[in-house]
Amino acid sequence: MIEDLKKTFLDELESVKSLADLSNLKVKYLGRKGIITAELKSLSSIPPDERPLHGKKINDIKQFIEEKLDSRESQLKKEELGRQLLSDSLDITLSGKFTTFGREHPINKILSEITDIFVRMGFSVEEGPEVELDYYNFEALNIPKDHPARDMQDTFYISDDIVLRTHTSPVQVRVMEKRKPPVRFIAPGKVYRCDADITHTPMFHQIEGLMVDKGITFSNLKGVLEAFLHRMFGADTPVRFRPSFFPFTEPSAEVDIGCILCNGAGCRVCKGSGWLEILGAGMVNPRVFENVGYDPEEYSGFAFGMGIERIAMLKYSIDDIRLFFENDIRFLRQF
Ligand code: PHE
């Protein structure tokens, strides 16, 4: 009878297909009201001298059942894990999805390089509007109505007294109106001129600079700009100052560096001169100080402005400015 029990159990174990089936079977044999439990309880009703032998048989069977249940359980768990791994499988041989990363536009790259150099010299960074009043773009900068820079061919007029700024110099006036000296800042941004060919686009970028305090001289202008140009183009780059004219600076200068493409020998880019014009600068015209309410007897200062595209073209040897704004990814990827 006890041998039959073993056989029935093995048959039933055979038909177990899941962990739930197995748990039911376990209860059926080993549970509180299970078959084996009942057998053990019934020991008390058999003659005492038969008990040890019979008891041993039941315990053997109990152990047998426990072992079988255990091994079936680990087998079922293994199968389940296998199924699970298969269903949420991760195919590591599948090629991944690639995200293409953008990168800094060459113009922004040069802008940050220049900004970094001036910030390290203690300049702050200011901004001004691109749609600007005629007053700030021209009038306050000592550019009268009949000045050639106001020619309709150069300036985009929105109305009689609103323009797209043609340079970043109006930021000088806006900042000085708001603040008492000393001031020391740069102002990067977009500017607009009605002009288009391989070296001109209707929109381009400039960086303005202004430093005003008591006792600022042309030596300060030279020192700051030379330090900047040497960091930007290399410590041995020759720098020269040429007399020039801007209505809002007096005296004014144009600043050249030795041609970085031919090292001063003379080439197509420097038109054989060995020099490249990099920026305009000068001592702030007292008329501008008067317009913003600074006393020109007490304060002096210098200003400078440079075109970013031109610097980027020289640094990266690019011969057509329009490439910067066509957004051809093959071009932009190179920087
Ligand atoms: N605003 C001038 C230009 O666009 C550059 C400049 C700025 C010159 C400041 C002198 C001082 O050409």
Side-chain angles (χ1 to χ4, degrees), residues 167-187:
H167 53 176
T168 42
S169 301
V171 186
Q172 291 185 33
V173 181
R174 285 183 174 273
V175 172
M176 285 192 285
E177 268 186 352
K178 278 190 311 206
R179 241 184 266 163
K180 295 256 151 295
V183 295
R184 181 167 45 168
F185 68 88
I186 55 164

Side-chain angles (χ1 to χ4, degrees), residues 70-286:
D70 276 356
S71 72
R72 184 78 181 118
E73 183 176 346
S74 54
Q75 195 186 350
L76 282 169
K77 277 189 175 159
K78 229 183 266 173
E79 283 171 20
E80 187 135 305
L81 184 67
R83 269 196 304 277
Q84 214 172 329
L85 285 177
L86 221 69
S87 67
D88 27 86
S89 66
L90 179 75
D91 184 351
I92 58 163
T93 64
L94 211 64
S95 56
K97 288 181 192 157
F98 292 98
T99 312
T100 33
F101 289 100
R103 64 183 73 201
E104 206 172 20
H105 190 280
I107 294 300
N108 282 333
K109 222 170 151 154
I110 298 286
L111 264 174
S112 351
E113 243 178 84
I114 297 175
T115 305
D116 275 3
I117 296 173
F118 282 105
V119 165
R120 268 180 268 150
M121 289 197 269
F123 284 71
S124 67
V125 180
E126 304 293 336
E127 275 181 5
E130 290 168 29
V131 180
E132 185 55 285
L133 290 172
D134 180 282
Y135 174 76
Y136 290 106
N137 196 79
F138 295 127
E139 205 80 35
L141 289 166
N142 195 32
I143 306 174
K145 287 273 183 217
D146 54 1
H147 193 276
R150 305 184 62 157
D151 195 305
M152 292 291 276
Q153 283 164 3
D154 278 326
T155 307
F156 288 108
Y157 277 89
I158 306 265
S159 71
D160 270 353
D161 32 65
I162 301 174
V163 300
L164 294 185
R165 67 177 179 190
T166 58
H167 53 176
T168 42
S169 301
V171 186
Q172 291 185 33
V173 181
R174 285 183 174 273
V175 172
M176 285 192 285
E177 268 186 352
K178 278 190 311 206
R179 241 184 266 163
K180 295 256 151 295
V183 295
R184 181 167 45 168
F185 68 88
I186 55 164
K190 293 184 168 68
V191 300
Y192 302 84
R193 284 181 204 179
C194 191
D195 205 349
D197 58 40
I198 65 161
T199 52
H200 298 87
T201 42
M203 182 281 298
F204 60 103
H205 297 77
Q206 284 190 338
I207 285 193
E208 192 77 10
L210 180 69
M211 181 164 179
V212 179
D213 203 348
K214 286 178 182 157
I216 299 287
T217 68
F218 203 90
S219 313
N220 297 116
L221 179 155
K222 284 189 80 175
V224 167
L225 290 180
E226 259 175 25
F228 159 69
L229 292 167
H230 283 159
R231 280 196 206 152
M232 191 70 194
F233 295 102
D236 329 310
T237 311
V239 175
R240 83 175 176 188
F241 291 74
R242 269 184 300 114
S244 184
F245 173 79
F246 297 101
F248 37 93
T249 48
E250 182 59 35
S252 302
E254 253 156 343
V255 185
D256 300 339
I257 57 168
C259 181
I260 50 178
L261 296 159
C262 63
N263 276 324
C267 67
R268 195 177 55 89
V269 177
C270 61
K271 299 194 182 88
S273 73
W275 294 95
L276 297 166
E277 185 191 318
I278 291 293
L279 49 84
M283 300 307 291
V284 179
N285 192 312

